Amino acid sequence: MAPSVDVAMVTTEQRAVQGELDALGTQDCALLRRMTADVDFLLNSDWLYLVRNCSAAARTYFEILRRVRYELGGRIYFAHQRHREAIGFGLIQSLSPARVRGYPAVRRTLGEARGQ
């Protein structure tokens, strides 16, 4: 897959997730707040650090989240589409670093996400 297809796939996927979050927010704001708080905790805590040596997948995901937090300059917020996209781009890069490294849309997304 070309980098532009990867970027389009991650963006389209996260746009759909955002639609679901927005819909939940109109139906049950309290549930949305609890759910995003729980996911934020998992994305930003060091629980994966404890299990990172249990499997290659856990180690990879730990490193991706650590890198995304660094690139964002702080916490990952699940409610922010750009933050979820940054995780998606990190997953793609872990599978094939040459496909994403330096790709302008990825750098632009991380730059925009920092501003959120």
Side-chain angles (χ1 to χ4, degrees):
M1 232 182 296
S4 60
V5 174
D6 291 334
V7 170
M9 189 169 58
V10 169
T11 302
T12 300
E13 176 185 65
Q14 293 310 319
R15 193 175 300 130
V17 170
Q18 192 63 47
E20 293 297 319
L21 291 173
D22 293 344
L24 179 59
T26 61
Q27 296 168 4
D28 191 339
C29 287
L31 177 60
L32 176 64
R33 280 193 303 274
R34 283 193 313 272
M35 188 269 302
T36 55
D38 290 347
V39 175
D40 289 350
F41 172 78
L42 293 172
L43 291 173
N44 293 289
S45 67
D46 288 332
W47 69 274
L48 269 176
Y49 178 80
L50 300 173
V51 297
R52 74 187 187 289
N53 293 323
C54 294
S55 73
R59 186 172 34 261
T60 298
Y61 202 63
F62 171 78
E63 287 302 321
I64 290 167
L65 292 177
R66 186 187 60 75
R67 192 173 336 124
V68 168
R69 283 192 301 267
Y70 175 80
E71 289 288 326
L72 294 173
R75 294 178 55 82
I76 299 169
Y77 292 99
F78 185 75
H80 294 179
Q81 180 176 337
R82 297 291 185 194
H83 290 203
R84 295 189 314 272
E85 288 175 352
I87 295 169
F89 296 138
L91 289 166
I92 291 168
Q93 188 172 15
S94 74
L95 298 172
S96 180
R99 283 171 40 181
V100 177
R101 186 178 300 124
Y103 191 67
V106 173
R107 291 291 171 213
R108 189 169 49 252
T109 295
L110 287 172
E112 291 170 2
R114 276 192 200 108
Q116 290 185 347

mmCIF file of all heavy atoms in Angstrom, residues 77-104:
data_model
loop_
_atom_site.group_PDB
_atom_site.id
_atom_site.type_symbol
_atom_site.label_atom_id
_atom_site.label_comp_id
_atom_site.label_asym_id
_atom_site.label_seq_id
_atom_site.Cartn_x
_atom_site.Cartn_y
_atom_site.Cartn_z
ATOM 1 N N TYR A 77 -5.297 12.072 24.117
ATOM 2 C CA TYR A 77 -6.718 12.173 24.435
ATOM 3 C C TYR A 77 -7.515 11.445 23.361
ATOM 4 O O TYR A 77 -7.518 11.848 22.207
ATOM 5 C CB TYR A 77 -7.161 13.633 24.548
ATOM 6 C CG TYR A 77 -6.555 14.316 25.743
ATOM 7 C CD1 TYR A 77 -5.444 15.133 25.609
ATOM 8 C CD2 TYR A 77 -7.084 14.111 27.021
ATOM 9 C CE1 TYR A 77 -4.867 15.744 26.712
ATOM 10 C CE2 TYR A 77 -6.513 14.713 28.127
ATOM 11 C CZ TYR A 77 -5.409 15.527 27.966
ATOM 12 O OH TYR A 77 -4.841 16.117 29.062
ATOM 13 N N PHE A 78 -8.201 10.384 23.771
ATOM 14 C CA PHE A 78 -8.964 9.562 22.838
ATOM 15 C C PHE A 78 -10.037 10.368 22.108
ATOM 16 O O PHE A 78 -10.351 10.092 20.953
ATOM 17 C CB PHE A 78 -9.606 8.383 23.586
ATOM 18 C CG PHE A 78 -10.320 7.427 22.690
ATOM 19 C CD1 PHE A 78 -9.607 6.538 21.896
ATOM 20 C CD2 PHE A 78 -11.707 7.415 22.628
ATOM 21 C CE1 PHE A 78 -10.261 5.647 21.050
ATOM 22 C CE2 PHE A 78 -12.374 6.531 21.785
ATOM 23 C CZ PHE A 78 -11.648 5.650 20.995
ATOM 24 N N ALA A 79 -10.588 11.379 22.743
ATOM 25 C CA ALA A 79 -11.636 12.184 22.122
ATOM 26 C C ALA A 79 -11.115 13.025 20.964
ATOM 27 O O ALA A 79 -11.898 13.503 20.157
ATOM 28 C CB ALA A 79 -12.302 13.081 23.167
ATOM 29 N N HIS A 80 -9.808 13.207 20.857
ATOM 30 C CA HIS A 80 -9.225 14.005 19.776
ATOM 31 C C HIS A 80 -8.884 13.104 18.592
ATOM 32 O O HIS A 80 -8.018 12.233 18.694
ATOM 33 C CB HIS A 80 -7.963 14.721 20.240
ATOM 34 C CG HIS A 80 -8.224 15.761 21.277
ATOM 35 N ND1 HIS A 80 -7.219 16.495 21.829
ATOM 36 C CD2 HIS A 80 -9.358 16.205 21.865
ATOM 37 C CE1 HIS A 80 -7.718 17.341 22.713
ATOM 38 N NE2 HIS A 80 -9.017 17.174 22.746
ATOM 39 N N GLN A 81 -9.537 13.344 17.489
ATOM 40 C CA GLN A 81 -9.324 12.526 16.295
ATOM 41 C C GLN A 81 -7.848 12.510 15.898
ATOM 42 O O GLN A 81 -7.300 11.460 15.546
ATOM 43 C CB GLN A 81 -10.177 13.039 15.133
ATOM 44 C CG GLN A 81 -9.996 12.226 13.863
ATOM 45 C CD GLN A 81 -10.914 12.675 12.748
ATOM 46 O OE1 GLN A 81 -11.946 13.277 12.990
ATOM 47 N NE2 GLN A 81 -10.543 12.374 11.528
ATOM 48 N N ARG A 82 -7.197 13.638 15.947
ATOM 49 C CA ARG A 82 -5.783 13.706 15.535
ATOM 50 C C ARG A 82 -4.896 12.855 16.431
ATOM 51 O O ARG A 82 -3.895 12.314 15.985
ATOM 52 C CB ARG A 82 -5.284 15.148 15.511
ATOM 53 C CG ARG A 82 -5.994 16.020 14.509
ATOM 54 C CD ARG A 82 -5.642 15.614 13.114
ATOM 55 N NE ARG A 82 -6.243 16.533 12.163
ATOM 56 C CZ ARG A 82 -6.329 16.297 10.880
ATOM 57 N NH1 ARG A 82 -5.869 15.184 10.386
ATOM 58 N NH2 ARG A 82 -6.886 17.164 10.082
ATOM 59 N N HIS A 83 -5.235 12.733 17.694
ATOM 60 C CA HIS A 83 -4.446 11.884 18.598
ATOM 61 C C HIS A 83 -4.604 10.416 18.203
ATOM 62 O O HIS A 83 -3.625 9.668 18.175
ATOM 63 C CB HIS A 83 -4.873 12.089 20.049
ATOM 64 C CG HIS A 83 -4.493 13.429 20.593
ATOM 65 N ND1 HIS A 83 -4.355 13.644 21.940
ATOM 66 C CD2 HIS A 83 -4.225 14.618 19.997
ATOM 67 C CE1 HIS A 83 -4.012 14.910 22.152
ATOM 68 N NE2 HIS A 83 -3.942 15.515 20.974
ATOM 69 N N ARG A 84 -5.833 10.007 17.898
ATOM 70 C CA ARG A 84 -6.055 8.620 17.459
ATOM 71 C C ARG A 84 -5.359 8.362 16.125
ATOM 72 O O ARG A 84 -4.794 7.289 15.908
ATOM 73 C CB ARG A 84 -7.562 8.328 17.351
ATOM 74 C CG ARG A 84 -8.281 8.384 18.690
ATOM 75 C CD ARG A 84 -9.710 7.887 18.590
ATOM 76 N NE ARG A 84 -10.455 8.406 17.459
ATOM 77 C CZ ARG A 84 -11.145 9.547 17.458
ATOM 78 N NH1 ARG A 84 -11.186 10.298 18.550
ATOM 79 N NH2 ARG A 84 -11.795 9.933 16.375
ATOM 80 N N GLU A 85 -5.386 9.358 15.237
ATOM 81 C CA GLU A 85 -4.695 9.200 13.955
ATOM 82 C C GLU A 85 -3.193 9.036 14.174
ATOM 83 O O GLU A 85 -2.547 8.235 13.495
ATOM 84 C CB GLU A 85 -4.966 10.396 13.052
ATOM 85 C CG GLU A 85 -6.370 10.418 12.508
ATOM 86 C CD GLU A 85 -6.685 11.672 11.710
ATOM 87 O OE1 GLU A 85 -5.862 12.614 11.690
ATOM 88 O OE2 GLU A 85 -7.766 11.706 11.094
ATOM 89 N N ALA A 86 -2.633 9.761 15.118
ATOM 90 C CA ALA A 86 -1.200 9.634 15.401
ATOM 91 C C ALA A 86 -0.864 8.209 15.847
ATOM 92 O O ALA A 86 0.179 7.667 15.470
ATOM 93 C CB ALA A 86 -0.777 10.648 16.468
ATOM 94 N N ILE A 87 -1.741 7.590 16.632
ATOM 95 C CA ILE A 87 -1.531 6.192 17.028
ATOM 96 C C ILE A 87 -1.600 5.297 15.799
ATOM 97 O O ILE A 87 -0.766 4.410 15.615
ATOM 98 C CB ILE A 87 -2.559 5.751 18.087
ATOM 99 C CG1 ILE A 87 -2.360 6.532 19.387
ATOM 100 C CG2 ILE A 87 -2.447 4.249 18.349
ATOM 101 C CD1 ILE A 87 -3.487 6.363 20.382
ATOM 102 N N GLY A 88 -2.578 5.528 14.938
ATOM 103 C CA GLY A 88 -2.701 4.740 13.707
ATOM 104 C C GLY A 88 -1.465 4.847 12.830
ATOM 105 O O GLY A 88 -0.964 3.850 12.308
ATOM 106 N N PHE A 89 -0.945 6.068 12.680
ATOM 107 C CA PHE A 89 0.273 6.250 11.885
ATOM 108 C C PHE A 89 1.461 5.562 12.548
ATOM 109 O O PHE A 89 2.329 5.014 11.877
ATOM 110 C CB PHE A 89 0.569 7.733 11.664
ATOM 111 C CG PHE A 89 -0.482 8.436 10.851
ATOM 112 C CD1 PHE A 89 -0.911 9.697 11.212
ATOM 113 C CD2 PHE A 89 -1.053 7.851 9.741
ATOM 114 C CE1 PHE A 89 -1.878 10.363 10.472
ATOM 115 C CE2 PHE A 89 -2.021 8.498 8.990
ATOM 116 C CZ PHE A 89 -2.435 9.764 9.359
ATOM 117 N N GLY A 90 1.483 5.574 13.890
ATOM 118 C CA GLY A 90 2.543 4.865 14.599
ATOM 119 C C GLY A 90 2.478 3.369 14.367
ATOM 120 O O GLY A 90 3.507 2.705 14.204
ATOM 121 N N LEU A 91 1.262 2.822 14.337
ATOM 122 C CA LEU A 91 1.102 1.391 14.057
ATOM 123 C C LEU A 91 1.578 1.060 12.650
ATOM 124 O O LEU A 91 2.282 0.067 12.441
ATOM 125 C CB LEU A 91 -0.353 0.970 14.242
ATOM 126 C CG LEU A 91 -0.852 0.940 15.680
ATOM 127 C CD1 LEU A 91 -2.368 0.849 15.721
ATOM 128 C CD2 LEU A 91 -0.217 -0.210 16.440
ATOM 129 N N ILE A 92 1.214 1.893 11.681
ATOM 130 C CA ILE A 92 1.666 1.667 10.307
ATOM 131 C C ILE A 92 3.186 1.733 10.234
ATOM 132 O O ILE A 92 3.828 0.889 9.615
ATOM 133 C CB ILE A 92 1.033 2.693 9.346
ATOM 134 C CG1 ILE A 92 -0.465 2.429 9.215
ATOM 135 C CG2 ILE A 92 1.703 2.650 7.979
ATOM 136 C CD1 ILE A 92 -1.220 3.542 8.522
ATOM 137 N N GLN A 93 3.753 2.729 10.888
ATOM 138 C CA GLN A 93 5.206 2.882 10.849
ATOM 139 C C GLN A 93 5.895 1.686 11.494
ATOM 140 O O GLN A 93 6.951 1.262 11.034
ATOM 141 C CB GLN A 93 5.638 4.170 11.540
ATOM 142 C CG GLN A 93 7.110 4.453 11.362
ATOM 143 C CD GLN A 93 7.500 5.810 11.877
ATOM 144 O OE1 GLN A 93 6.742 6.445 12.606
ATOM 145 N NE2 GLN A 93 8.665 6.268 11.514
ATOM 146 N N SER A 94 5.294 1.113 12.529
ATOM 147 C CA SER A 94 5.921 -0.048 13.169
ATOM 148 C C SER A 94 5.931 -1.251 12.236
ATOM 149 O O SER A 94 6.803 -2.108 12.334
ATOM 150 C CB SER A 94 5.211 -0.400 14.478
ATOM 151 O OG SER A 94 3.974 -1.015 14.234
ATOM 152 N N LEU A 95 4.956 -1.306 11.345
ATOM 153 C CA LEU A 95 4.897 -2.408 10.378
ATOM 154 C C LEU A 95 5.851 -2.193 9.213
ATOM 155 O O LEU A 95 6.418 -3.142 8.683
ATOM 156 C CB LEU A 95 3.471 -2.576 9.846
ATOM 157 C CG LEU A 95 2.430 -2.945 10.892
ATOM 158 C CD1 LEU A 95 1.031 -2.887 10.283
ATOM 159 C CD2 LEU A 95 2.715 -4.319 11.466
ATOM 160 N N SER A 96 6.005 -0.946 8.807
ATOM 161 C CA SER A 96 6.845 -0.626 7.661
ATOM 162 C C SER A 96 7.366 0.797 7.799
ATOM 163 O O SER A 96 6.773 1.738 7.253
ATOM 164 C CB SER A 96 6.045 -0.777 6.361
ATOM 165 O OG SER A 96 6.850 -0.458 5.258
ATOM 166 N N PRO A 97 8.469 0.989 8.524
ATOM 167 C CA PRO A 97 8.967 2.338 8.798
ATOM 168 C C PRO A 97 9.185 3.198 7.548
ATOM 169 O O PRO A 97 8.912 4.387 7.572
ATOM 170 C CB PRO A 97 10.292 2.091 9.529
ATOM 171 C CG PRO A 97 10.151 0.728 10.109
ATOM 172 C CD PRO A 97 9.284 -0.035 9.156
ATOM 173 N N ALA A 98 9.629 2.601 6.483
ATOM 174 C CA ALA A 98 9.914 3.387 5.288
ATOM 175 C C ALA A 98 8.652 3.962 4.669
ATOM 176 O O ALA A 98 8.705 4.970 3.968
ATOM 177 C CB ALA A 98 10.647 2.527 4.266
ATOM 178 N N ARG A 99 7.502 3.350 4.927
ATOM 179 C CA ARG A 99 6.260 3.823 4.313
ATOM 180 C C ARG A 99 5.762 5.105 4.931
ATOM 181 O O ARG A 99 5.042 5.856 4.292
ATOM 182 C CB ARG A 99 5.174 2.756 4.423
ATOM 183 C CG ARG A 99 5.393 1.676 3.418
ATOM 184 C CD ARG A 99 4.522 0.491 3.565
ATOM 185 N NE ARG A 99 3.130 0.725 3.904
ATOM 186 C CZ ARG A 99 2.279 -0.258 4.069
ATOM 187 N NH1 ARG A 99 2.679 -1.508 3.922
ATOM 188 N NH2 ARG A 99 1.035 -0.022 4.388
ATOM 189 N N VAL A 100 6.124 5.388 6.158
ATOM 190 C CA VAL A 100 5.567 6.548 6.840
ATOM 191 C C VAL A 100 6.621 7.595 7.145
ATOM 192 O O VAL A 100 6.342 8.778 7.150
ATOM 193 C CB VAL A 100 4.847 6.108 8.142
ATOM 194 C CG1 VAL A 100 4.331 7.304 8.908
ATOM 195 C CG2 VAL A 100 3.716 5.156 7.807
ATOM 196 N N ARG A 101 7.837 7.184 7.390
ATOM 197 C CA ARG A 101 8.877 8.110 7.815
ATOM 198 C C ARG A 101 8.966 9.302 6.859
ATOM 199 O O ARG A 101 9.147 9.136 5.673
ATOM 200 C CB ARG A 101 10.222 7.401 7.878
ATOM 201 C CG ARG A 101 11.330 8.275 8.455
ATOM 202 C CD ARG A 101 12.653 7.539 8.556
ATOM 203 N NE ARG A 101 12.523 6.374 9.412
ATOM 204 C CZ ARG A 101 12.824 5.140 9.024
ATOM 205 N NH1 ARG A 101 13.265 4.915 7.817
ATOM 206 N NH2 ARG A 101 12.690 4.134 9.855
ATOM 207 N N GLY A 102 8.794 10.465 7.414
ATOM 208 C CA GLY A 102 8.932 11.681 6.639
ATOM 209 C C GLY A 102 7.751 12.001 5.746
ATOM 210 O O GLY A 102 7.768 12.981 5.017
ATOM 211 N N TYR A 103 6.715 11.178 5.773
ATOM 212 C CA TYR A 103 5.568 11.439 4.909
ATOM 213 C C TYR A 103 4.876 12.703 5.403
ATOM 214 O O TYR A 103 4.498 12.799 6.564
ATOM 215 C CB TYR A 103 4.609 10.248 4.917
ATOM 216 C CG TYR A 103 3.550 10.340 3.851
ATOM 217 C CD1 TYR A 103 3.909 10.262 2.504
ATOM 218 C CD2 TYR A 103 2.224 10.529 4.173
ATOM 219 C CE1 TYR A 103 2.951 10.352 1.521
ATOM 220 C CE2 TYR A 103 1.268 10.620 3.197
ATOM 221 C CZ TYR A 103 1.636 10.534 1.867
ATOM 222 O OH TYR A 103 0.687 10.640 0.897
ATOM 223 N N PRO A 104 4.726 13.711 4.561
ATOM 224 C CA PRO A 104 4.245 15.029 5.008
ATOM 225 C C PRO A 104 2.919 15.004 5.754
ATOM 226 O O PRO A 104 2.761 15.726 6.735
ATOM 227 C CB PRO A 104 4.118 15.824 3.709
ATOM 228 C CG PRO A 104 5.027 15.146 2.749
ATOM 229 C CD PRO A 104 5.039 13.691 3.135
#
